[in-house]
Amino acid sequence: MAIQRARAGLDELLAAKRALPFQVLTGGDAAFLERHDAFVFDCDGVLYSGSELLDGAAAAVAALRSAGKRCLFVTNNSGKSRLTMAVKLGALGLAATPEECVPASFATAAALAARGVTRAFVVGADGLSEELELAGVEVLKAGATTEPFSEAAFERVALEGEPVGAVVVGMDATCDLRTLALASLHLQRDERCLFASTNPDAFDVVGGRRMPGNGALVAALATASGRGAPDLTCGKPAPALAESLVSTFGLDPARTVVVGDRVDTDMALASRMGCAGLLVLTGCATAADAAALAPGCATTFVTSHLGALAGPGALVGEPSTAAPDTVDGVLDALHAAAARADADAYLDLVSSDFVFLGTDAAERWDRAAFEAYARGRFEKGNGWAYEVVSRRSTARGDVVFFDEDLANANLGACRSTGVLVRDGGGLKVAQYSLSVPIPNALCLDVVRQIRARD
């Protein structure tokens, strides 16, 4: 839905035929890719929306990596550490190392450590606490309690507590009046106490509606404490973060693109890094926001969705550009037919002795059993969508062996293996096996869970 809205908005913008202060990318642009070596991605609203991968995103990142482009992931989400951020990206089919990830939690921890802060009162999730502790900053939090907070309780705690070098505010879905009161007291006790915000994002867009973000918590604390604006904002578009990204990763600003869905943070970061900005319309920014941009702004490019970077066919369900009677042509057509719930087209691509092996141990279906399942499901309009991240194949005469790395909104990173054969002159899928890879570190736990169910 987000991509459809974005494409419709961009189409309206182009139809207006007005002069725009940026270049619109509508498909794979060879010149754009040739001019840039590094891509700095925002995450939510660009690669995924909440917990769902945006169609075409994994294919676009994979295509950039295959072309030798450097990919970094920089988010104002302070709830994730570098490690948990990399794990989430990997689960969605977007392979990334912790070293390629720069969440606001890490940027904040680095900024506090550089200022010699050794103790902080923290409003925020576990990822923020984890990065602060890794940087040598002791973390104090409000802690859980069932005691109702009142004026009497406030007076009591106002006389308690040890001094801290900073109060750090990151997005915290469990933040309550007691937490805000304690944070406010720390700021009121000592004017030298640093008031630090992980990011200024006032809201996030969820389902087309604004959900309060970290900026709303920061504003509440600024008002309650009387301190006004934070002394330090660490996430995008902080100048220190812009400088750190360029120096730490050795980026050439002239050949770097910041890809994001917000003008106020992502495109502002691009400006401070001195590089190009690519605004996508699948998150906070709309086509109307793009239309209102002034000449000379940091937004150099605008596109509907990240999948446009991979060119035509980047979206699941769109026609493949590969020749029909090739490995890519057959498998792309198979995925497209499944995504649009087209039973006839799907079954026409499999052999008469087709076998499907599913993720469940009991799922070994011959052609007749699979056809019954597929037709029953597709008749209700329920297809399935797996985005192809990468594919490899080896031919042995009339037999082709293949494997694919896939991404699915529900299952995350998946893998397929299979066999194609020449059947009646054309290539047909004779076997298709779908699996969900399990990290080795979790394998024994998963095996125990399976045995417990048996």
Side-chain angles (χ1 to χ4, degrees), residues 199-213:
N199 71 82
D201 298 1
F203 64 90
D204 289 314
V205 174
V206 179
R209 301 175 182 85
R210 290 189 176 192
M211 176 178 173

Side-chain angles (χ1 to χ4, degrees), residues 354-360 363-365 431-435:
F354 173 71
V355 173
F356 173 81
L357 302 172
T359 55
D360 191 279
E363 289 182 319
R364 186 191 186 281
W365 295 346
Q431 184 183 97
Y432 194 95
S433 176
L434 178 68
S435 62

Side-chain angles (χ1 to χ4, degrees), residues 13-14 16-24 290-295:
L13 192 61
L14 293 172
K17 296 183 179 180
R18 51 171 289 191
L20 298 171
F22 48 78
Q23 179 183 344
V24 176
L293 292 171

Side-chain angles (χ1 to χ4, degrees), residues 277-289:
L278 169 59
L279 184 69
V280 299
L281 305 180
T282 44
C284 291
T286 65
D289 295 326

Side-chain angles (χ1 to χ4, degrees), residues 328-411:
D328 287 338
V330 171
L331 293 176
D332 287 349
L334 190 79
H335 289 300
R340 64 178 186 269
D342 186 338
D344 289 336
Y346 190 98
L347 294 168
D348 188 52
L349 294 165
V350 304
S351 67
S352 57
D353 56 353
F354 173 71
V355 173
F356 173 81
L357 302 172
T359 55
D360 191 279
E363 289 182 319
R364 186 191 186 281
W365 295 346
D366 60 17
R367 159 104 190 200
F370 186 83
E371 180 171 351
Y373 167 76
R375 287 195 182 280
R377 176 167 173 155
F378 289 174
E379 284 173 1
K380 298 175 184 177
N382 298 326
W384 53 78
Y386 288 84
E387 180 182 333
V388 179
V389 177
S390 62
R391 177 184 293 140
R392 294 149 296 275
S393 63
T394 303
R396 295 287 185 271
D398 288 338
V399 178
V400 179
F401 303 90
F402 70 88
D403 67 275
E404 302 173 306
D405 293 317
L406 307 171
N408 175 264
N410 295 321
L411 298 178

Side-chain angles (χ1 to χ4, degrees), residues 2 5-6 44-46 49 54 205 208 261-262 280-286 304:
R5 284 199 302 265
D44 204 349
V46 176
S49 179
L54 288 168
V205 174
D261 69 314
R262 300 184 73 115
V280 299
L281 305 180
T282 44
C284 291
T286 65
S304 58

